[in-house]
Amino acid sequence: MTTALNGSVRFVDLHAQIRSLQPALTEAVQAVLDRGDFILGKDVELFEQEFAAYCGVPHAVGVDSGLSALELALRALRVGPGDEVITQANTFIASVGAILAVGARPVLVDCDGDGVIRPGAVRAALTPRTRAIMPVHLFGRICDIEAIMAVADGAGVPVVEDACQAHGALLNGRRAGSFGIASAFSFYPAKNLGAFGDGGMLVTTSREVADTVRQLRNYGQKTKYQHVSLPLNHRLDTIQAAVLRVKLPHLDGWNARRQYLADAYREHLEGLPIRIAPADAEGRHVYHLFVIESEQRDRLRDALQARRIETGIHYPAPLHLQVALKDLGYPAGAFPTAERLAAESLSLPMYPEMALAQVELVAEGIRAALAG
Ligand SMILES: *Cc1c(COP(=O)(O)O)cnc(C)c1O
């Protein structure tokens, strides 16, 4: 456990994982160079099949980012101007970006004290214009999706899961992405399953949605140069698919390691005046992020930085207080829980190759800062 322990702790470090997968990664990329099928090549098709099987859904369509997967899901469901889509105030801006991209209006709701979107808040936000619900499995924990599906079914509205932080997460034996009619994954490098650049995947239970998104990602083509729908380019690169095919068989092992490290954090932070959302009882949280809450968040962050321990904040402002979204017209105070979490949340270092001794260093730093 003494390797790479010079006392500093990176927030995320991808080097060890890349090294551990050599020479397979280099061979996979070289095979693409040899074949030359850079656009919608063999690895894209195979990775789509493998990822669909992994998620337990019949269809998967590779795209160029998580944002594109969300946007194309909404387009395939014919959500557009005049429509409303419900999502949460405490998330990454991509969820709302996809809604705005199709010309619809994002309707935000507050979360509970653990940062999870509440089915009751979703029900209260329904209007005759609601055309989709987009819950987020934030930080790697599946939200209360079964109750949200019941609200959605009652209203006759489709659910698009934002599973961009939840590759492999489980709830009652089902994977993230297998509940709604369509779901989006991101392969941004630091995600639990990451490419060497941008990439994303739309998974769906609907053949019609899959076919529509296949067309939309590739210039609206039905057959070569027969453009029958909106001509966009949102294809997943073959090289990225080749890399992701090497990584996918390791995902469950990496997620198990994240759970082990999260348990270690909980144990080492026990008794301190901080809040940690409880471990998920019915499901398997995959800890894309390990987040604590403290009223002294900024002081804590500075104290850790002084020990060369990197941390993150997810996210420093809820969506309704972002400059880019001020036209939505939500005032400060509109979503008090999301606002409090933005002020108090601190994300601790978390990646599968992290050493247990590094968890102990982080915990020691927090203990010292709170004592001082
Ligand atoms: C990463 C992320 C996205 C978008 O993914 P990109 O691939 O960066 O477009 C969307 N939603 C959430 C919650 C994310 O964390």
Side-chain angles (χ1 to χ4, degrees):
M1 280 300 181
T2 52
T3 50
L5 284 187
N6 59 4
S8 69
V9 186
R10 303 291 312 276
F11 184 62
V12 172
D13 188 346
L14 303 174
H15 292 97
Q17 182 174 101
I18 293 170
R19 273 197 307 275
S20 77
L21 296 177
Q22 294 293 15
L25 285 171
T26 301
E27 286 168 3
V29 171
Q30 185 63 47
V32 180
L33 303 190
D34 293 344
R35 286 197 309 272
D37 59 345
F38 300 110
I39 302 298
L40 297 181
K42 181 180 121 189
D43 285 312
V44 173
E45 200 180 323
L46 290 172
F47 181 57
E48 287 174 347
Q49 292 165 11
E50 290 158 5
F51 195 74
Y54 177 84
C55 293
V57 295
H59 312 285
V61 185
V63 293
D64 57 356
S65 73
L67 170 62
S68 299
L70 290 167
E71 177 189 330
L72 298 185
L74 293 177
R75 287 195 188 283
L77 295 170
R78 296 189 171 67
V79 177
D83 298 336
E84 294 178 354
V85 179
I86 299 171
T87 191
Q88 62 210 68
N90 64 318
T91 181
F92 181 57
I93 200 162
S95 325
V96 160
I99 298 166
L100 292 173
V102 303
R105 177 182 168 81
V107 172
L108 301 179
V109 297
D110 208 357
C111 54
D112 69 14
D114 295 332
V116 182
I117 185 171
R118 289 173 305 162
V122 171
R123 187 184 300 106
L126 288 167
T127 78
R129 290 174 302 280
T130 307
R131 287 293 310 278
I133 300 170
M134 190 183 277
V136 184
H137 304 313
L138 204 64
F139 306 154
R141 176 188 174 165
I142 296 185
C143 69
D144 198 352
I145 188 74
E146 289 166 348
I148 288 176
M149 290 302 300
V151 170
D153 290 346
V157 169
V159 169
V160 176
E161 294 170 66
D162 182 340
C164 288
Q165 299 189 356
H167 319 65
L170 285 164
L171 180 69
N172 296 326
R174 287 173 67 179
R175 296 273 189 203
S178 68
F179 297 88
I181 186 169
S183 305
F185 289 88
S186 165
F187 303 122
Y188 181 85
K191 300 286 163 106
N192 290 34
L193 181 63
F196 293 162
D198 280 309
M201 188 73 87
L202 173 128
V203 305
T204 176
T205 53
S206 158
R207 164 162 294 283
E208 197 188 331
V209 167
D211 289 346
T212 304
V213 173
R214 270 180 213 291
Q215 245 174 44
L216 284 172
R217 74 169 171 185
N218 193 24
Y219 289 110
Q221 291 187 106
K222 194 164 182 186
T223 56
K224 199 159 174 76
Y225 302 132
Q226 299 295 317
H227 306 277
V228 298
S229 53
L230 192 64
L232 304 172
N233 176 354
H234 288 298
R235 299 177 296 229
L236 176 64
D237 288 336
T238 307
I239 284 192
Q240 300 301 349
V243 165
L244 291 162
R245 289 190 70 211
V246 173
K247 289 187 164 199
L248 180 60
H250 299 276
L251 178 57
D252 283 340
W254 291 331
N255 282 343
R257 175 71 185 176
R258 286 175 184 268
Q259 287 148 8
Y260 170 81
L261 295 169
D263 287 346
Y265 267 131
R266 287 180 193 281
E267 194 181 316
H268 287 285
L269 296 171
E270 177 123 30
L272 292 178
I274 55 172
R275 247 199 107 257
I276 306 175
D280 194 2
E282 301 97 60
R284 214 177 64 164
H285 190 323
V286 292
Y287 294 100
H288 173 57
L289 295 168
F290 188 87
V291 179
I292 66 170
E293 292 153 42
S294 164
E295 284 164 29
Q296 308 180 56
R297 190 266 311 276
D298 293 334
R299 194 173 72 75
L300 210 48
R301 186 169 205 222
D302 291 345
L304 290 171
Q305 191 58 48
R307 289 178 176 236
R308 291 181 301 141
I309 295 169
E310 295 176 355
T311 56
I313 297 179
H314 301 89
Y315 295 88
L319 294 183
H320 65 293
L321 302 183
Q322 294 285 354
V323 173
L325 302 180
K326 65 177 187 308
D327 290 350
L328 294 180
Y330 293 108
F335 305 113
T337 310
E339 289 172 36
R340 178 178 64 75
L341 290 175
E344 298 184 356
S345 295
L346 183 67
S347 307
L348 303 183
M350 173 58 83
Y351 55 96
E353 296 74 19
M354 195 178 161
L356 185 58
Q358 291 179 303
V359 169
E360 288 163 4
L361 277 178
V362 176
E364 215 174 274
I366 292 172
R367 195 171 289 278
L370 290 172

